[in-house]
Amino acid sequence: MIALTGTPGTGKTETASILEKKGYSVLKIQEFVREQGLWEGVDEKRNCLIVDPEKISDRIEELGLRFDIAECHLSHYLRGIRGVAVLRCDPEVLKKRLEKRGWNPEKIRENVECEIIGLIAWEVREMHDRVIEIDTTRKTPEEVAREVERFIKYIFSETE
Ligand SMILES: Nc1ncnc2c1ncn2[C@@H]1O[C@H](COP(=O)(O)OP(=O)(O)O)[C@@H](O)[C@H]1O
Ligand SMILES: [Mg+2]
């Protein structure tokens, strides 16, 4: 399984949907957490679920699930990840994408700052060797999906 990660708004879900249409199996972690009741609590301030990646990995194993791609900003924390694609975005553009979601200004600011410092890309490089960063700012979702697909093919040919 490869992880498709990045700050919220960088285009993970949209990219994953395109790859699904191309025939790749995708585990959308946020949906999986809701379906399986896997959350630990609710972060009221950020209006999101609190999850433990270990528990998500445990449930994937218990159910014997196998996927090509795990999609979530925490997917790089799952067990059995063979490579990680990190989606990036220019912070100014990211801000506009997040504003369209109607999120509160504090949550938008937090995520834009996360992208400015490159927090997720840094976390990923601390944990994994096979990493690609894709700047989505001036690419269409289809172009991003093609780059992720090329990476998947490389990873699967290297590690199978
Ligand atoms: N490559 C892209 N170029 C421009 N807009 C994009 C791109 N990818 C996604 N978007 C748009 O940005 C927003 C966030 O995309 P989404 O896939 O939901 O991000 P994520 O799952 O990473 O939070 C959506 O409105 C989506 O249509
Ligand atoms: Mg998403």
Side-chain angles (χ1 to χ4, degrees), residues 7-14 71 97 101 136 139-141 144:
T7 306
T10 50
K12 300 178 296 295
T13 303
E14 186 141 342
E71 182 264 314
R97 289 190 196 170
R101 287 189 174 169
T136 68
K139 293 189 179 100
T140 64
V144 176

Side-chain angles (χ1 to χ4, degrees), residues 70-127:
E71 182 264 314
C72 174
H73 66 289
L74 298 172
S75 56
H76 52 286
Y77 284 110
L78 299 176
R79 284 196 295 274
I81 294 296
R82 286 148 69 175
V84 185
V86 187
L87 302 191
R88 304 296 307 267
C89 185
D90 180 290
E92 291 287 345
V93 175
L94 186 72
K95 185 163 178 267
K96 293 195 184 87
R97 289 190 196 170
L98 294 176
E99 277 165 356
K100 282 192 198 145
R101 287 189 174 169
W103 281 5
N104 70 58
E106 177 66 10
K107 187 167 168 172
I108 293 175
R109 193 180 59 83
E110 221 173 62
N111 282 286
V112 169
E113 281 178 3
C114 172
E115 189 59 18
I116 290 171
I117 62 170
L119 181 64
I120 292 187
W122 175 78
E123 283 175 0
V124 166
R125 291 197 183 276
E126 290 284 299
M127 303 174 70

Side-chain angles (χ1 to χ4, degrees), residues 17-72:
S17 297
I18 295 169
L19 290 163
E20 228 169 4
K21 287 192 196 110
K22 291 184 182 216
Y24 292 93
S25 56
V26 178
L27 178 62
K28 291 182 176 154
I29 301 289
Q30 278 171 323
E31 285 176 17
F32 185 67
V33 163
R34 281 194 206 96
E35 281 163 19
Q36 298 282 325
L38 281 173
W39 63 90
E40 311 278 291
V42 179
D43 184 333
E44 301 285 354
K45 189 171 147 240
R46 295 182 178 82
N47 188 29
C48 66
L49 300 176
I50 300 164
V51 301
D52 174 0
E54 284 295 313
K55 293 206 171 141
I56 300 171
S57 288
D58 288 345
R59 186 63 58 89
I60 292 169
E61 279 179 22
E62 279 160 30
L63 296 171
L65 300 176
R66 288 183 62 91
F67 291 91
D68 298 320
I69 302 159
E71 182 264 314
C72 174

